[in-house]
Amino acid sequence: MSHPTLTILGFNSALPTTNSHPTAQLLEMAGHTFLIDCGEATQVQIRKTGTKFSKIRHIFISHLHGDHVFGLIGLISSLQLMKTTPSLHIYGPKGIRDFIENQLKHTKSEGNFPIHFVELTSTQNEVIFEDEKIVVETIPLVHRIYTNGYFFKEKQKERSLVMEEIQKYPEIEICDYQNLKNGKDFVLSSGEILPNTLLTKDGPSPKSYAFCSDTRYKPKVCEQILGADLLYHEATFLHELEEKAYATGHSTALQAAMIARDAKVKKLIIGHFSTRYFPHYHRLQEEAQTVFPETCLPELLEKVQF
Amino acid sequence: MSHPTLTILGFNSALPTTNSHPTAQLLEMAGHTFLIDCGEATQVQIRKTGTKFSKIRHIFISHLHGDHVFGLIGLISSLQLMKTTPSLHIYGPKGIRDFIENQLKHTKSEGNFPIHFVELTSTQNEVIFEDEKIVVETIPLVHRIYTNGYFFKEKQKERSLVMEEIQKYPEIEICDYQNLKNGKDFVLSSGEILPNTLLTKDGPSPKSYAFCSDTRYKPKVCEQILGADLLYHEATFLHELEEKAYATGHSTALQAAMIARDAKVKKLIIGHFSTRYFPHYHRLQEEAQTVFPETCLPELLEKVQF
């Protein structure tokens, strides 16, 4: 299984400008291409990555503020025109179904594929998607309106074959490999049992990605995302504006770094910066690095492998 | 009064791409900055023109297909964040109020200025805006859903002073000029009457602009827009796809030119091209020019003075 990659399509807050884009991310993980948040004109950003639109089957919306959701109807409309999407699952706060369906109704958009809405209301974390390779949980956040982050966790991957051992036993055929990867021992025709640990070793570590935007500083998040390989956490303000951050339901760069440190994540990307800091976002990075050195600034359209 | 200018913010049909934008135009005319249609990310295009957002007080939406209206909520949301707009008038098909208000409700957008919706239902042309300098009429069109073009007509401008004549009469003071511009004669203290036509000449001609998109070929439009200085008319297809144009409620380049010719307009800009012609839009222009030589292709963000 290849490494997951995250592509930041946009990371600014509120007002779109000629050189920045509101929140949206593409996460390629466990064979899926997940879209996380969808600010205005996200479809144009997706186009720039070269990603086939039809690969997107699951869209996760954190909350219903415009800079996280205004691009959703345009994307859906384009998917309908393209007619290559078999179905779409949209996860987001209660209300998202009416928000989208009312727009589809007024614009007489053709419904040539089903859209399955999963409307969220819980303030406890819950599993909202799961298959054999990955599980996705909500991360309840604290913002001015009901908001969830999302935690994407690969499941334990299958074991890796140790070919130099396997080749010592001609009885083991290619059709047996999947059983070995699944952890089964091998029984020779003599009755001798070859333990799985002889023929395989641990597979690559499962990876995890936590997306936390928008939110007031919420230390409780750390328990849930403990040890995540990658964390994106909003950092709208410098810490000198801590009170403003609190009042508006946002975090400071220092607070984002405290979450990263206390959750023992491997790497932090901060974003959702107030435009007051443009173009000096390094100030936010520098503040965060005083607490968590592995803090990066997002680069538009850069693929971050983890 | 300065010449009106039209800025094309986008002119492609349906799918936004990395190098093209759906329909939107800024019309500066008679002291107003009118926005006509508002496809996704129109606000970013407006930004590129350097136009102050707060100048936009009247928005005219032709119809509720996404490529003409998906950018409206983002623009309104930004105007709310900026807090510099005193009020907004939005003209469009019935349903546009619910379409926008439902989005504002779900996204908890702050209503810090009033939005006056003028919902249209008539299939006859009607005056929808008028002040001392300009009148705006609907142009009923024929499309798959209820659609109007818009006809912007300056009123007769005030008369121009003939200063070499006026200066012969010291009795005429600056405070009399406005009466002269308004067409009044001047009575000297001797009782002699100086006719207005001696002291003034006709002012500059009033200008007019007709916007027609999207529409099937509709010759009846010509009567209404007769002699317009500038016509924008959709030309989605080449005439070899006339049947497809008819079936989808669109026009061919030839048909757009026939409207321009029969309406005796001074200049035609065609647009809303099917992506199948990208980047060879000159083919549409060439077809139109066989009937109406003064046919131009739109240039993104170019200011067309007329």
Side-chain angles (χ1 to χ4, degrees):
Chain A
M1 193 182 289
S2 59
H3 283 281
T5 61
L6 179 74
T7 309
I8 309 259
L9 304 172
F11 61 85
N12 76 314
S13 63
L15 301 174
T17 67
T18 53
N19 50 20
S20 64
H21 301 272
T23 305
Q25 306 186 351
L26 271 184
L27 176 65
E28 291 165 274
M29 195 167 183
H32 295 283
T33 300
F34 296 127
L35 178 64
I36 308 167
D37 278 354
C38 191
E40 189 173 358
T42 288
Q43 62 171 315
V44 176
Q45 292 296 93
I46 296 172
R47 238 174 229 281
K48 290 180 189 166
T49 68
T51 304
K52 275 195 182 170
F53 278 35
S54 60
K55 281 190 171 179
I56 299 168
R57 306 284 171 82
H58 299 271
I59 300 176
F60 300 85
I61 301 294
S62 62
H63 64 301
L64 294 181
H65 276 156
D67 54 328
H68 295 253
V69 75
F70 280 158
L72 188 51
I73 184 66
L75 176 62
I76 292 172
S77 181
S78 292
L79 293 177
Q80 289 181 339
L81 285 168
M82 292 173 178
K83 297 184 179 163
T84 52
T85 292
S87 69
L88 200 59
H89 287 76
I90 297 176
Y91 310 80
K94 186 165 171 58
I96 195 166
R97 173 196 284 266
D98 180 64
F99 174 76
I100 290 298
E101 289 189 343
N102 192 60
Q103 294 181 75
L104 291 172
K105 179 189 79 179
H106 282 297
T107 57
K108 304 280 190 293
S109 298
E110 285 177 46
N112 53 37
F113 60 82
I115 304 176
H116 306 286
F117 289 93
V118 179
E119 292 196 299
L120 306 172
T121 55
S122 175
T123 52
Q124 303 300 313
N125 62 307
E126 54 184 341
V127 171
I128 54 171
F129 174 73
E130 183 167 13
D131 66 11
E132 70 278 13
K133 293 182 179 170
I134 194 165
V135 59
V136 185
E137 295 173 356
T138 58
I139 306 173
L141 299 175
V142 184
H143 190 42
R144 302 196 301 280
I145 59 176
Y146 178 75
T147 302
N148 285 293
Y150 295 101
F151 192 28
F152 301 83
K153 296 189 290 186
E154 287 181 343
K155 294 184 177 178
Q156 181 61 53
K157 295 175 180 175
E158 54 191 18
R159 299 184 62 76
S160 299
L161 302 176
V162 179
M163 291 311 295
E164 63 212 57
E165 285 299 322
I166 288 172
Q167 283 163 355
K168 292 178 186 168
Y169 306 93
E171 270 187 57
I172 305 178
E173 296 183 32
I174 290 175
C175 60
D176 298 315
Y177 287 1
Q178 193 57 51
N179 279 338
L180 295 179
K181 288 178 181 174
N182 293 345
K184 291 194 181 160
D185 296 335
F186 191 84
V187 184
L188 294 171
S189 54
S190 66
E192 186 189 348
I193 294 174
L194 302 175
N196 187 274
T197 49
L198 174 73
L199 305 171
T200 70
K201 58 184 179 185
D202 290 345
S205 307
K207 301 288 179 134
S208 59
Y209 171 59
F211 170 85
C212 295
S213 185
D214 295 354
T215 188
R216 188 183 283 168
Y217 176 56
K218 188 184 178 191
K220 192 172 185 307
V221 163
C222 300
E223 301 164 21
Q224 187 186 350
I225 67 170
L226 200 67
D229 292 277
L230 180 63
L231 165 65
Y232 173 91
H233 198 288
E234 74 124 291
T236 306
F237 300 107
L238 284 172
H239 204 66
E240 64 195 19
L241 291 182
E242 182 188 3
E243 282 181 26
K244 189 173 180 70
Y246 185 88
T248 57
H250 287 297
S251 298
T252 68
L254 198 74
Q255 290 169 337
M258 286 158 64
I259 296 290
R261 178 196 62 196
D262 298 341
K264 299 181 178 15
V265 307
K266 297 197 178 60
K267 183 175 174 178
L268 167 67
I269 300 175
I270 52 175
H272 201 270
F273 309 128
S274 165
T275 50
R276 78 193 63 202
Y277 303 115
F278 176 82
H280 306 293
Y281 296 148
H282 63 90
R283 293 178 60 200
L284 294 134
Q285 182 186 25
E286 284 158 15
E287 177 173 284
Q289 285 178 330
T290 62
V291 164
F292 191 78
E294 289 302 313
T295 305
C296 302
L297 291 179
E299 290 274 349
L300 274 184
L301 304 181
E302 183 197 22
K303 283 185 185 294
V304 178
Q305 209 173 63
F306 60 97
Chain B
M1 193 182 290
S2 59
H3 284 280
T5 61
L6 179 74
T7 309
I8 309 259
L9 304 172
F11 62 85
N12 76 314
S13 63
L15 301 175
T17 67
T18 52
N19 50 20
S20 65
H21 301 271
T23 304
Q25 306 187 351
L26 271 184
L27 175 66
E28 291 164 275
M29 195 168 184
H32 295 282
T33 300
F34 296 127
L35 178 64
I36 308 167
D37 279 353
C38 192
E40 188 173 358
T42 288
Q43 62 171 318
V44 176
Q45 291 297 92
I46 296 172
R47 238 172 229 282
K48 290 181 188 166
T49 69
T51 304
K52 274 195 183 169
F53 278 36
S54 60
K55 282 190 169 179
I56 298 168
R57 305 284 172 82
H58 299 271
I59 300 176
F60 301 86
I61 301 295
S62 62
H63 65 301
L64 294 182
H65 276 156
D67 54 328
H68 295 254
V69 75
F70 281 158
L72 187 50
I73 184 66
L75 176 62
I76 292 172
S77 181
S78 292
L79 293 177
Q80 289 181 337
L81 285 168
M82 291 172 177
K83 297 184 178 162
T84 53
T85 293
S87 69
L88 200 59
H89 288 75
I90 297 177
Y91 309 81
K94 185 165 172 57
I96 194 166
R97 174 195 282 268
D98 179 64
F99 174 75
I100 290 297
E101 289 188 343
N102 192 62
Q103 293 180 75
L104 291 172
K105 179 190 79 179
H106 282 298
T107 57
K108 303 278 188 295
S109 298
E110 286 178 47
N112 52 38
F113 59 82
I115 303 177
H116 306 287
F117 289 93
V118 179
E119 293 196 299
L120 307 171
T121 55
S122 176
T123 53
Q124 303 299 314
N125 61 307
E126 54 183 341
V127 171
I128 52 170
F129 175 73
E130 183 167 14
D131 66 11
E132 69 278 12
K133 293 182 179 171
I134 194 165
V135 60
V136 185
E137 295 173 356
T138 57
I139 306 173
L141 300 175
V142 184
H143 191 42
R144 300 196 303 280
I145 60 174
Y146 178 76
T147 303
N148 286 292
Y150 294 102
F151 193 27
F152 302 83
K153 295 190 291 186
E154 286 181 343
K155 295 183 175 176
Q156 182 60 53
K157 295 174 180 177
E158 54 191 17
R159 297 184 62 76
S160 299
L161 303 176
V162 179
M163 291 311 296
E164 62 211 59
E165 285 299 322
I166 289 172
Q167 282 163 356
K168 293 176 185 170
Y169 305 94
E171 270 188 56
I172 305 178
E173 297 183 31
I174 290 176
C175 59
D176 300 314
Y177 288 0
Q178 192 57 51
N179 279 339
L180 295 178
K181 288 178 180 174
N182 292 346
K184 292 193 178 159
D185 297 336
F186 190 85
V187 184
L188 294 170
S189 52
S190 65
E192 187 189 346
I193 293 175
L194 302 175
N196 185 274
T197 49
L198 174 72
L199 305 171
T200 69
K201 59 183 180 184
D202 290 345
S205 307
K207 301 288 179 134
S208 59
Y209 171 59
F211 170 86
C212 295
S213 186
D214 296 356
T215 188
R216 188 182 284 169
Y217 175 57
K218 187 185 179 192
K220 192 172 185 307
V221 163
C222 300
E223 301 164 21
Q224 186 186 351
I225 66 170
L226 201 67
D229 292 276
L230 181 62
L231 165 64
Y232 173 91
H233 197 289
E234 74 124 291
T236 307
F237 300 107
L238 284 172
H239 205 66
E240 64 194 19
L241 291 183
E242 182 187 3
E243 282 181 26
K244 189 173 181 68
Y246 186 87
T248 57
H250 287 297
S251 298
T252 68
L254 198 74
Q255 290 169 336
M258 286 159 63
I259 296 288
R261 178 195 63 196
D262 298 340
K264 300 180 178 16
V265 306
K266 296 196 179 61
K267 183 174 173 177
L268 167 66
I269 300 175
I270 52 176
H272 202 269
F273 310 128
S274 165
T275 49
R276 77 193 64 202
Y277 303 116
F278 177 82
H280 306 294
Y281 296 146
H282 62 91
R283 292 178 61 199
L284 295 134
Q285 182 186 26
E286 284 158 14
E287 178 173 284
Q289 285 178 330
T290 62
V291 164
F292 190 78
E294 290 302 311
T295 304
C296 302
L297 290 180
E299 290 274 349
L300 274 185
L301 304 182
E302 183 196 24
K303 283 186 185 293
V304 178
Q305 209 172 64
F306 59 96

